[in-house]
Amino acid sequence: MNLTYGLEDFRNKVKKKEKKPKEPRFAFLTKSEIDHLEDGYRWRKYGQKAVKNSPYPRSYYRCTSQKCIVKKRVERSYQDPSIVMTTYEGQHNHHCPATLRGNAASNIFSSPSLFGSNSIPLEQRIHQDFLAQFLPSYSQSNNHQMFHQNVPLPPHQQQQFQLLQDNGLLQDLLPSSFPGKQEQ
DNA sequence: CGGGTTTGACCTGCGC
DNA sequence: GCGCAGGTCAAACCCG
């Protein structure tokens, strides 16, 4: 081996001078003791880093499906350790792998809603989550609060957004142009 | 043995 | 230029 650490790959990337193609990105918050919630897709962890100002590490996952470049970051809120923040980057170019057997999907199904709405069946709520991945403009479910980077929230969701914002949970996830985003 | 995780090294970007 | 923080790689390791 002449090159350590795939240096060649890095050189190639630089050659292509790809300036961050701005993958669609959205995040949702989940109240759960489990860091990595089952969401129906298969993920491979490729890194973990300590986060500044937070006692909790951030984990990096990639979709294991071939040709699917979706990534996600999972980190626990330092302000409320019961809240897990999951950030998706990119969109799946495939459907969910066969529904996980047994109770695999029960983690996320059983996680209590951040804002306690029980008016929608759990399965429907999770379905909405996945919908958001395929339809980027779909930006809200009742179980998780999701905010797509490039899509403003409809007015009736602004209040919930404000709640999260007041808790300082969204500052890093939203573009500065996002309606209602506070100055840092 | 294959697939996933851990972990330290290394790269990039950014602010000073 | 330097240092820091975030992101990624890949060898070693673990486990079914």
Side-chain angles (χ1 to χ4, degrees):
Chain A
M1 271 306 163
N2 49 354
L3 288 172
T4 58
Y5 175 57
L7 203 51
E8 206 163 3
D9 287 342
F10 267 102
R11 298 279 183 264
N12 290 336
K13 280 177 190 171
V14 171
K15 270 183 202 166
K16 288 177 189 170
K17 62 180 177 188
E18 287 169 11
K19 267 279 184 179
K20 283 185 182 179
K22 278 188 183 178
E23 293 286 342
R25 194 170 70 148
F26 71 88
F28 65 84
L29 307 175
T30 307
K31 204 156 187 162
S32 169
E33 312 91 46
I34 303 159
D35 285 342
H36 188 202
L37 296 166
E38 272 301 341
D39 57 10
Y41 290 96
R42 292 179 56 83
W43 301 93
R44 174 200 292 272
K45 187 174 184 174
Y46 67 88
Q48 176 172 306
K49 286 288 287 187
V51 183
K52 195 192 171 193
N53 293 330
S54 171
Y56 306 101
R58 173 184 297 152
S59 298
Y60 300 89
Y61 298 88
R62 231 194 299 268
C63 183
T64 59
S65 178
Q66 272 187 340
K67 296 184 295 182
C68 184
I69 57 166
V70 176
K71 287 179 260 189
K72 79 172 177 181
R73 269 165 293 191
V74 177
E75 67 183 287
R76 197 163 278 281
S77 165
Y78 67 96
Q79 291 186 330
D80 185 347
S82 66
I83 292 177
V84 176
M85 183 183 301
T86 306
T87 305
Y88 286 88
E89 199 170 310
Q91 291 180 61
H92 293 284
N93 57 11
H94 58 98
H95 294 293
C96 275
T99 318
L100 304 147
R101 48 185 160 13
N103 57 1
S106 63
N107 291 339
I108 196 163
F109 283 151
S110 62
S111 57
S113 164
L114 192 53
F115 292 97
S117 166
N118 289 318
S119 56
I120 296 183
L122 282 167
E123 287 182 2
Q124 192 172 332
R125 291 184 219 159
I126 197 68
H127 177 68
Q128 289 176 333
D129 283 355
F130 290 122
L131 210 54
Q133 293 183 58
F134 296 107
L135 302 173
S137 62
Y138 190 91
S139 61
Q140 193 264 351
S141 82
N142 284 311
N143 193 34
H144 309 293
Q145 309 304 308
M146 298 185 297
F147 304 89
H148 191 279
Q149 259 211 330
N150 304 314
V151 182
L153 289 176
H156 70 279
Q157 288 166 21
Q158 294 275 349
Q159 277 190 335
Q160 292 183 336
F161 169 72
Q162 191 63 48
L163 256 172
L164 294 170
Q165 197 173 35
D166 290 345
N167 286 327
L169 295 171
L170 294 171
Q171 290 301 309
D172 296 333
L173 295 171
L174 300 170
S176 55
S177 60
F178 200 93
K181 180 176 170 68
Q182 293 172 344
E183 301 295 329
Q184 297 209 34

